[in-house]
Amino acid sequence: MESKSQSQMNELKNMIRELSVSNRTPALQQQPPRIELECPVCMEVAKPPMRLKQCGKGHIICDSCHTQAEGEANAQWQAEEADRVGNPNIDLCHTCREVITGRPSELERILGLS
């Protein structure tokens, strides 16, 4: 019985040695996967100093495309009837037509944009 426990003890010691050796050698020296995200309107890859906006479903658009779309929507809206104020279609997602809700702060942080 003592030899069985001695053999288990030796096996455990070997396992501990292997773990300590593997902790000293660097694991695969790979860089984390690079995330590239494109604005679906201009197809530009998100990189600093680009800022993003998103809808409630998580679709994104770059801030410059959103600003440009706002300007175009306002111009079209005001051209149709001069007495109108404010266009309800300005803050709509280009993908799903849901309302643009704000900035994806965490995504911007992950992408290194903020």
Side-chain angles (χ1 to χ4, degrees):
M1 189 148 186
E2 192 172 323
S3 76
K4 187 174 184 178
S5 62
Q6 186 64 33
S7 119
Q8 289 175 337
M9 182 67 90
N10 288 337
E11 189 176 332
L12 285 173
K13 286 179 181 178
N14 287 335
M15 290 171 73
I16 291 170
R17 257 189 240 111
E18 287 175 19
L19 282 175
S20 64
V21 168
S22 68
N23 283 340
R24 282 188 227 135
T25 59
L28 298 174
Q29 292 182 345
Q30 294 179 351
Q31 302 240 343
R34 186 177 173 152
I35 301 170
E36 287 191 351
L37 189 69
E38 292 181 343
C39 169
V41 177
C42 66
M43 306 304 246
E44 191 172 327
V45 174
K47 59 185 179 273
M50 183 184 281
R51 301 298 292 209
L52 304 174
K53 299 251 181 159
Q54 77 176 11
C55 72
K57 292 185 178 179
H59 301 125
I60 59 108
I61 183 172
C62 74
D63 206 22
S64 58
C65 286
H66 184 259
T67 302
Q68 182 178 353
E70 278 182 327
E72 291 171 1
N74 268 336
Q76 181 181 4
W77 183 259
Q78 290 173 354
E80 290 173 2
E81 278 193 46
D83 59 339
R84 289 185 183 175
V85 178
N87 183 348
N89 297 322
I90 287 178
D91 274 339
L92 295 182
C93 173
H94 286 262
T95 304
C96 67
R97 308 307 289 164
E98 292 283 325
V99 176
I100 297 288
T101 56
R103 293 205 123 65
S105 307
E106 191 62 21
L107 178 62
E108 286 181 339
R109 186 190 66 74
I110 290 169
L111 294 173
L113 302 178
S114 60

